[in-house]
Amino acid sequence: VQLQAYGGGLVQAGGSLRLSCAASGLTFVNNVMAWFRQAPGKEREAVARISRSGSLRYYLDSVRGRFLISRDNVKDTLYLQMNSLKPEDTAVYYCTAGGGLGLTSTPEYWGQGTLVTVSS
């Protein structure tokens, strides 16, 4: 299984980024997908999760209303649109696959991560 995340970078506070995650080696449509992040010196936390069909979405309270998780089950790709970014959103963002629908449910597979840096 490979989960290749990309789209991270440096952005000013208030800006936007869209992360993408290309999945291979698994039946994408059969997997709940999620984004996690880990900021320097902090524990890893779940950011957003999406059901297999895309009809159910769950968010960390601090990103709800600013981030949007989506998926394309034809392209086997997961997305995270991040708007109104804040310096506290700075972290390595990981694409994950598997696990239950609960936001913090443990995934089965992890990607390599992409760094998002938000400057003030």
Side-chain angles (χ1 to χ4, degrees):
V1 174
Q2 286 195 331
L3 301 171
Q4 182 72 39
Y6 54 96
L10 174 63
V11 63
Q12 288 189 331
S16 298
L17 280 176
R18 187 173 86 152
L19 305 184
S20 301
C21 173
S24 61
L26 78 169
T27 306
F28 184 76
V29 69
N30 288 350
N31 282 269
V32 173
M33 301 295 293
W35 290 97
F36 282 68
R37 69 184 181 187
Q38 187 164 20
K42 296 187 177 181
E43 292 188 356
R44 190 167 52 198
E45 62 182 357
V47 176
R49 187 173 289 262
I50 189 167
S51 63
R52 297 170 183 84
S53 68
S55 61
L56 299 174
R57 304 173 189 185
Y58 305 93
Y59 296 95
L60 182 68
D61 284 347
S62 62
V63 308
R64 187 177 294 112
R66 299 188 296 120
F67 290 11
L68 176 66
I69 187 171
S70 62
R71 63 190 296 162
D72 186 327
N73 287 343
V74 174
K75 295 181 178 180
D76 290 356
T77 303
L78 177 71
Y79 303 99
L80 186 68
Q81 177 66 43
M82 304 185 294
N83 300 321
S84 302
L85 282 160
K86 304 176 180 180
E88 51 263 43
D89 295 319
T90 295
V92 176
Y93 283 72
Y94 297 91
C95 169
T96 74
L101 273 176
L103 180 62
T104 59
S105 177
T106 302
E108 293 185 62
Y109 305 105
W110 293 79
Q112 88 289 357
T114 184
L115 177 62
V116 172
T117 304
V118 184
S119 63
S120 57

